[in-house]
Amino acid sequence: MYKVEFNTKEEWKKARLSCLTGTTVGKYIGITSPYAPKSDEEMVKNPAVQFGINCETSILTIFSNLPSVSKDLLLKPTIKPTLWYSDDDNRIAGSFDALAYEKGQNGFAECKSTSAGLYDLKNWVIPNTTWLQIIHYFSLDDSLQFCYLVVCSYHKWGDWGAKIDYVRIPRVMVQNRIDNLKSWHKYILSNLPKT
């Protein structure tokens, strides 16, 4: 896996168009979110979406300082628009929110914010689109051994009060799903033109 940073969001968005990402791979295998913004204009105008985008680093900072989080965990948030490309095929990429290191293992963190009540991490209720994104990120590099999914939930946009929950997902827990997605990657890419 290798990292490419972009100077602007526009350059980043353009580079994503030629890749399978955690967001775009879903359209090829029929896993999409009814909550996802339908256009760039909708993203810019939606205050809840902008909150999520602009506050990811703050949410991750709060998460990493929670008393229940291991003091061995080190997070390096992604600041600039970034794509992480697979060494096996540069048409497979992802843009997770932070690299993570814990007790000699490499991993990553993915941050979500929502008022839709989609997540119940204590009972492992996680939307299929989020599972797909996480499994896609795992597929970028076999050295990624865990993911922290961090969710900032609030009752209603604009109301006071939010809570941060998290769950640690070890790679071994989803290895079969990673292998399955890698097969889908090969199938999808065999039907797309090389760039």
Side-chain angles (χ1 to χ4, degrees):
M1 183 175 73
Y2 63 96
K3 172 182 180 181
V4 176
E5 291 183 334
F6 298 88
N7 292 321
T8 67
K9 280 263 186 175
E10 288 68 33
E11 290 174 352
W12 174 77
K13 286 177 189 173
K14 185 177 178 184
R16 284 171 56 93
L17 293 175
S18 61
C19 303
L20 287 177
T21 67
T23 304
T24 61
V25 72
K27 75 178 181 180
Y28 294 102
I29 58 177
I31 298 175
T32 58
S33 171
Y35 297 96
K38 303 294 185 276
S39 66
D40 287 348
E41 182 181 18
E42 187 179 331
M43 281 188 74
V44 170
K45 288 185 175 180
N46 187 320
V49 171
Q50 289 306 307
F51 169 80
I53 292 169
N54 295 324
C55 294
E56 286 170 351
T57 302
S58 298
I59 292 167
L60 289 171
T61 300
I62 294 167
F63 153 70
S64 64
N65 286 289
L66 292 173
S68 58
V69 173
S70 168
K71 297 306 170 198
D72 293 319
L73 177 64
L74 171 65
L75 292 179
K76 289 190 174 179
T78 303
I79 306 299
K80 293 182 77 174
T82 302
L83 284 175
W84 299 89
Y85 290 90
S86 167
D87 287 329
D88 297 329
D89 193 317
N90 68 359
R91 295 174 299 162
I92 303 172
S95 53
F96 39 79
D97 298 319
L99 283 177
Y101 307 93
E102 187 177 57
K103 297 181 181 176
Q105 290 188 329
N106 298 327
F108 62 95
E110 181 61 24
C111 184
K112 302 293 183 187
S113 61
T114 182
S115 63
L118 301 174
Y119 297 85
D120 176 5
L121 298 185
K122 287 184 178 134
N123 294 304
W124 287 93
V125 176
I126 299 169
N128 286 335
T129 50
T130 301
W131 273 120
L132 178 61
Q133 191 174 22
I134 289 167
I135 291 162
H136 177 83
Y137 292 163
F138 272 126
S139 76
L140 294 176
D141 192 326
D142 292 340
S143 76
L144 297 172
Q145 294 301 308
F146 63 89
C147 166
Y148 275 99
L149 173 60
V150 181
V151 177
C152 176
S153 302
Y154 45 91
H155 173 67
K156 182 180 171 187
W157 172 250
D159 284 355
W160 292 102
K163 67 174 184 169
I164 294 179
D165 293 316
Y166 68 92
V167 67
R168 186 183 190 276
I169 302 168
R171 184 186 188 92
V172 294
M173 178 181 158
V174 292
Q175 186 61 56
N176 288 342
R177 295 173 78 179
I178 297 166
D179 294 339
N180 186 43
L181 184 60
K182 284 183 176 184
S183 296
W184 273 105
H185 283 161
K186 288 177 187 170
Y187 173 76
I188 295 165
L189 291 172
S190 69
N191 292 292
L192 294 177
K194 275 210 180 230
T195 55

